[in-house]
Amino acid sequence: MEFMTLHDFMFWTKGMAYVGMGLGLVTFVAFWLFVTERDEDRFADKEEE
Amino acid sequence: MSHHTTPSKGFWTPANILTAVILAIGLVLTVKRFTMGIGSVTNLTDDNPWGIWIGFDLLCGVALAAGGYTTTAAVYLFGMKKYQSAIRPAITTAFLGYTFVVIALLYDLGRYYRLPYPLTIYPGPTSFLFEVGLCVALYLTVLAIEFSPALWEVLRWKRLRYYAHSLTLVLTIFGVVLSTLHQSSLGGLYLIAPSKLHPLWYSPYLTMFFFVSSIPAGLSMVIFEGGLSHKFLHHKMDDRHLAESSGVTLGFSKAAAVVLFAYFNLKWIGVALDHNWQHLATGWGAWFLVEMFGFVLVPCLMYAVAAREKNEKLAFWASILTILGIVINRLNISLIAFNWQLPAEARYLPSWEEIFITVFIITLEVTVLRICLSKLPILHEHPEFKGAH
Amino acid sequence: MKRRKFIGMLAGAGASLAASPASAGGTHHFTGYPNSFGVLFDSTKCIGCRKCEAACNKVNDLPAQPEPFDDLSVLNARRRTKHDKFTVVNKYEVEGKPVFRKIQCNHCLEPACASACFVGAFVKDATGAVSYDAARCVGCRYCMIACPFEIPTYEYDDPITPRVRKCTLCESRVKEGKLPGCVEDCPKGALIFGRREDLLTIARERIRKHPGQYINHIYGEREMGGTSWLYISGVPFSQIGMREDLGVTPAPELTSGALSVVPAVVGLWPVFLTGAYALTKRKEKIAEEEQRHAVAEAVVETEAQAAIKLKAALDKAERDKQAAVDKAVKQALKEAEEARKQDESSDTESNKEEG
């Protein structure tokens, strides 16, 4: 990709950053669930029903 | 006053009559706005494209709805379980606050029907307004889910309530992330206009100032509304809410005092970094000092004393002063110190119709809030779901 | 994959990255579209005839104006661009002499309006024009907040399809090989259309040749990162209503840094907050465990005490029982003894009677 203006460059890179943020957030949740999967009190914070 | 209180007479209290009048005039102005254009009701010009609908409704509305994320973070993330009863009122106000921010925005947008454009087909990621839009949309969703259990309880939809509740942790963290971002991004909106905003208010720290000041804003709203509901909705509050409310007030006072203190210091560092000391000697400088001392340092000290001496009344007054301070700060940045170099005749003053539409939207919001507080388990626990938090 | 081949690929990738002009050592520098067009305005040649305003009105099909374009009295008032006026000329008195200045979109090299637009409705084109796409516009008017030259205007009185309006650099005419309307109709040659690079050369040349006639500043060469419209003047620009305090920072750079914090917040906040949550949970768990321990200890102690008490009670019962037995035995023995004694005495008595 070649960018002629700083604005073009930012339009592309900031857009990529937003996509990355979205992916990062979703994978972080998944990763946290993976890390804590075998904790006994994993759902201790949830209400007891 | 009649002894035979028929239902209709009970409803038409002076407050309700005033509400009805405001709503009626507001509806007429709404029709005018949407049939004759923005220009027919506002004093907006090409020099002043943003008026009080942005400066007050959006900037102040979002800052004062910060009680949602501050309270959920305090209770769910930082372990202040004793403030549990503050959660629902805070989330309710935040949810309604954001909803009405979006409604107010529809009045201001020239082509309101294209509101989804930036988030769907035409994203413009270089803009801070894109950031604001994205985060407000996502956060409104988060707040809707956080608010929903109150509704599911009344409807007795236990499964939905359970699902909504099981997301608490994730929603709380998302809520803090999204709030951090859009609170700060509202300040970021003005980063692109250094030539229009007075140097005392313009700073590369604008984003941080907006975020940091949103914390005492949110805490103060919780304290303020707590004080009001104690006075006027006492009968709607159960023992738990009544018992915990003083703890909430004093605990939040302490937090607000500390954050206001940090904010006060950071603002001076902002002045130092841009070397704007010489402006302090001008009229604008005097106004800046009024904001800094009268509406940041004074409420900070009031909160500190209130927390030390367990003085709830002082905390209530401090919350009013803090809220006023936040409103003054946001109006300074968006309207008063914005376009400060324009000649007086080109400056903006809102029209009465603009102001009235703002009053109309606030009235609508307060009305919906009153209905929610009286019909939903917000200031009291639903008998079937007692202790289930 | 062979290791050497892999290294070779890495090197190749590195070389191709380094070859790209946009990225040198991590600092990106952009010089804009080469050969893009612009206009040079020479305020020493402008006579304030408003022919450019009339031409602009005509080529853009703008509505008729209340004052005819040959009415020069309007020049005395401070005017700005409007939704039906893409360009205006203002008159300034400088040292007793009138100086004219034309206002229209400067077509920035790094437009603030484009940077501010949240739907990407503004684009800097290869022609040099900053063009606006009404089909995307939501009508937030943030472009008008952002523009340092106060150029974009709005159709406030249109309830359904209001547009932002501003000079287009007559892009469609330029693409047809024609001149922008205002340039074409300028009778005094105060406006020159051409490649921006050439215009800069012309401007420098004029300043060099006539140092007494011009001040040594090409407005727009560096202002806000540079604009496609360039200005030269015989009087300081601040005296003809042009701000000289705008700085040379391109608009996107004003927000670039703060926008970069956004992904950092998204990346780090969840980690810190989950950490805070985990710490809170741990503290609660420890508190809970301690409480359980305390309860358990208390139970053990109570049980021990109960056992001691029980034992004592049992012992006492045993002792009482023994005592009772002993007492009973003693009693029985005593009774037996007394009975025996009684027998003996009665025997002696009867013996006495018999005896």
Side-chain angles (χ1 to χ4, degrees):
Chain A
M1 280 225 86
E2 195 164 359
F3 304 103
M4 297 312 295
T5 60
L6 173 61
H7 175 250
D8 286 349
F9 176 76
M10 275 175 65
F11 205 87
W12 177 258
T13 52
K14 301 294 177 196
M16 286 291 106
Y18 276 107
V19 173
M21 277 182 252
L23 290 177
L25 265 186
V26 173
T27 50
F28 182 77
V29 172
F31 186 70
W32 175 251
L33 291 177
F34 169 72
V35 169
T36 59
E37 196 175 5
R38 297 194 182 167
D39 291 3
E40 293 151 23
D41 61 341
R42 188 173 169 222
F43 293 108
D45 57 300
K46 311 258 172 76
E47 62 188 282
E48 304 82 38
E49 293 222 354
Chain B
M1 282 287 154
S2 158
H3 291 291
H4 319 281
T5 42
T6 53
S8 61
K9 273 190 182 156
F11 182 77
W12 291 111
T13 58
N16 285 359
I17 290 171
L18 183 67
T19 304
V21 170
I22 292 176
L23 294 186
I25 301 176
L27 275 177
V28 173
L29 291 177
T30 301
V31 171
K32 189 175 175 195
R33 151 66 185 95
F34 286 102
T35 53
M36 295 165 73
I38 298 171
S40 69
V41 288
T42 68
N43 276 351
L44 296 178
T45 61
D46 291 326
D47 287 328
N48 304 292
W50 283 358
I52 54 165
W53 291 348
I54 297 292
F56 185 79
D57 298 20
L58 177 67
L59 294 190
C60 298
V62 168
L64 298 178
Y69 88 89
T70 43
T71 312
T72 49
V75 172
Y76 292 128
L77 300 179
F78 298 103
M80 302 183 194
K81 282 210 166 145
K82 53 183 176 172
Y83 304 150
Q84 182 91 53
S85 63
I87 287 268
R88 283 228 174 145
I91 284 182
T92 308
T93 354
F95 177 55
L96 291 179
Y98 276 90
T99 308
F100 283 90
V101 161
V102 175
I103 290 173
L105 203 57
L106 295 177
Y107 282 76
D108 190 70
L109 289 177
R111 302 202 194 192
Y112 44 87
Y113 47 89
R114 287 181 174 175
L115 187 59
Y117 272 19
L119 307 182
T120 51
I121 46 178
Y122 300 129
T126 55
S127 171
F128 259 111
L129 196 58
F130 173 80
E131 217 290 321
V132 171
L134 182 66
C135 285
V136 168
L138 289 174
Y139 188 49
L140 193 56
T141 316
V142 166
L143 280 173
I145 304 173
E146 285 184 323
F147 169 77
S148 68
L151 211 58
W152 307 145
E153 283 175 13
V154 170
L155 297 171
R156 293 188 174 70
W157 292 1
K158 294 193 180 179
R159 281 229 72 76
L160 263 180
R161 185 197 172 278
Y162 171 74
Y163 286 133
H165 213 99
S166 64
L167 290 171
T168 299
L169 177 60
V170 172
L171 290 180
T172 304
I173 292 179
F174 272 30
V176 176
V177 172
L178 294 168
S179 295
T180 308
L181 292 178
H182 71 255
Q183 293 287 359
S184 58
S185 293
L186 284 175
L189 290 178
Y190 292 90
L191 282 177
I192 202 155
S195 59
K196 294 187 181 177
L197 183 55
H198 190 279
L200 281 173
W201 282 274
Y202 184 90
S203 164
Y205 275 0
L206 262 177
T207 49
M208 189 182 63
F209 289 158
F210 267 58
F211 169 62
V212 174
S213 59
S214 79
I215 298 172
L219 297 173
S220 298
M221 281 304 278
V222 174
I223 294 171
F224 177 65
E225 286 162 350
L228 285 189
S229 8
H230 225 285
K231 255 194 200 116
F232 299 111
L233 292 166
H234 200 275
H235 57 287
K236 287 280 174 194
M237 296 172 78
D238 62 16
D239 291 342
R240 178 165 186 201
H241 284 74
L242 287 172
E244 286 180 6
S245 88
S246 105
V248 171
T249 300
L250 297 176
F252 277 21
S253 292
K254 199 188 282 173
V258 171
V259 181
L260 278 173
F261 189 77
Y263 176 64
F264 183 78
N265 290 341
L266 284 171
K267 286 283 275 187
W268 289 113
I269 290 173
V271 175
L273 282 178
D274 279 344
H275 200 66
N276 284 328
W277 302 107
Q278 77 276 11
H279 293 289
L280 288 177
T282 65
W284 288 106
W287 179 230
F288 181 78
L289 292 175
V290 166
E291 184 194 320
M292 290 302 296
F293 285 92
F295 294 94
V296 181
L297 192 62
V298 168
C300 165
L301 295 175
M302 281 166 76
Y303 268 137
V305 172
R308 268 170 66 98
E309 297 180 353
K310 313 223 176 304
N311 185 340
E312 285 179 62
K313 199 161 252 173
L314 185 60
F316 182 74
W317 288 109
S319 76
I320 293 177
L321 206 55
T322 309
I323 292 165
L324 276 179
I326 293 293
V327 171
I328 287 173
N329 175 257
R330 299 307 195 255
L331 290 183
N332 272 338
I333 286 166
S334 60
L335 302 174
I336 298 168
F338 192 80
N339 273 340
W340 64 290
Q341 285 172 319
L342 284 186
E345 68 273 12
R347 295 299 309 272
Y348 162 85
L349 259 183
S351 70
W352 77 267
E353 287 160 308
E354 244 174 307
I355 297 173
F356 205 95
I357 286 180
T358 294
V359 171
F360 163 68
I361 289 170
I362 296 171
T363 310
L364 210 56
E365 180 179 347
V366 171
T367 308
V368 176
L369 183 66
R370 277 169 65 195
I371 295 171
C372 284
L373 290 184
S374 66
K375 303 281 178 209
L376 295 176
I378 289 164
L379 292 175
H380 56 89
E381 284 177 282
H382 194 282
E384 286 177 36
F385 297 91
K386 248 192 164 50
H389 280 288
Chain C
M1 196 189 292
K2 286 260 168 62
R3 190 160 162 261
R4 207 181 308 156
K5 197 177 162 197
F6 178 65
I7 291 171
M9 276 173 67
L10 277 183
S16 71
L17 276 180
S20 152
S23 58
T27 48
H28 300 274
H29 179 67
F30 305 94
T31 47
Y33 289 99
N35 302 322
S36 69
F37 295 110
V39 178
L40 174 65
F41 173 74
D42 188 336
S43 83
T44 64
K45 292 186 190 290
C46 179
I47 55 164
C49 65
R50 298 188 70 206
K51 289 272 192 317
C52 52
E53 288 187 34
C56 181
N57 182 278
K58 198 176 75 200
V59 302
N60 287 300
D61 293 321
L62 297 176
Q65 293 297 309
E67 315 90 8
F69 285 104
D70 51 11
D71 175 5
L72 299 185
S73 65
V74 298
L75 291 172
N76 295 321
R78 241 358 110 252
R79 297 182 300 152
R80 62 154 290 161
T81 53
K82 283 261 171 274
H83 63 94
D84 54 357
K85 277 183 275 193
F86 295 173
T87 186
V88 291
V89 175
N90 279 343
K91 185 167 86 175
Y92 297 84
E93 290 289 336
V94 183
E95 287 160 14
K97 275 182 263 170
V99 182
F100 299 96
R101 171 228 172 176
K102 182 178 179 295
I103 308 171
Q104 75 299 306
C105 175
N106 285 324
H107 299 275
C108 302
L109 300 185
E110 298 287 356
C113 53
S115 180
C117 184
F118 72 158
V119 283
F122 290 92
V123 177
K124 177 74 176 174
D125 288 324
T127 56
V130 175
S131 64
Y132 162 75
D133 181 3
R136 291 182 175 220
C137 183
V138 179
C140 70
R141 309 187 296 285
Y142 188 26
C143 48
M144 298 161 69
I145 291 281
C147 178
F149 304 109
E150 286 160 355
I151 295 303
T153 65
Y154 202 62
E155 296 176 321
Y156 284 108
D157 292 320
D158 185 335
I160 308 295
T161 58
R163 291 167 297 176
V164 169
R165 304 294 271 152
K166 72 169 194 70
C167 159
T168 61
L169 200 65
C170 285
E171 197 179 14
S172 52
R173 287 170 60 88
V174 168
K175 280 181 178 161
E176 292 168 21
K178 290 194 241 170
L179 287 172
C182 54
V183 178
E184 193 172 70
D185 280 14
C186 180
K188 300 301 281 183
L191 297 170
I192 307 172
F193 179 84
R195 297 188 196 289
R196 186 172 183 271
E197 290 307 309
D198 301 339
L199 297 177
L200 278 171
T201 313
I202 294 170
R204 284 197 196 101
E205 194 67 5
R206 282 190 188 173
I207 293 170
R208 191 185 64 79
K209 272 194 185 150
H210 310 284
Q213 204 175 326
Y214 295 99
I215 57 153
N216 188 12
H217 180 185
I218 306 171
Y219 195 99
E221 183 180 10
R222 299 179 66 220
E223 274 74 11
M224 293 301 288
T227 59
S228 290
W229 273 69
L230 301 166
Y231 302 79
I232 47 177
S233 160
V235 298
F237 289 102
S238 57
Q239 291 180 26
I240 51 171
M242 296 170 78
R243 290 185 63 173
E244 293 187 290
D245 60 347
L246 297 179
V248 297
T249 311
E253 244 166 53
L254 294 167
T255 55
S256 167
L259 274 174
S260 302
V261 180
V262 170
V265 169
V266 175
L268 288 177
W269 247 159
V271 177
F272 289 149
L273 295 173
T274 316
Y277 167 77
L279 279 180
T280 306
K281 276 259 84 109
R282 196 174 139 68
K283 236 169 64 190
E284 277 171 13
K285 206 176 158 190
I286 289 173
E288 206 174 277
E289 217 126 88
E290 271 172 3
Q291 199 178 356
R292 202 180 306 140
H293 270 292
V295 168
E297 256 168 43
V299 166
V300 167
E301 201 170 306
T302 336
E303 274 172 359
Q305 269 173 2
I308 289 168
K309 248 190 206 156
L310 185 67
K311 191 163 182 295
L314 283 175
D315 286 353
K316 189 167 178 283
E318 187 68 19
R319 261 185 275 119
D320 286 354
K321 197 175 156 196
Q322 196 59 46
V325 171
D326 286 353
K327 204 177 164 193
V329 170
K330 243 185 213 162
Q331 184 73 25
L333 284 174
K334 201 175 164 193
E335 275 170 19
E337 180 73 6
E338 265 168 31
R340 191 179 58 81
K341 271 186 189 160
Q342 215 155 10
D343 283 350
E344 261 174 31
S345 65
S346 65
D347 280 354
T348 40
E349 263 171 46
S350 60
N351 284 352
K352 265 181 199 170
E353 280 167 22
E354 283 165 19

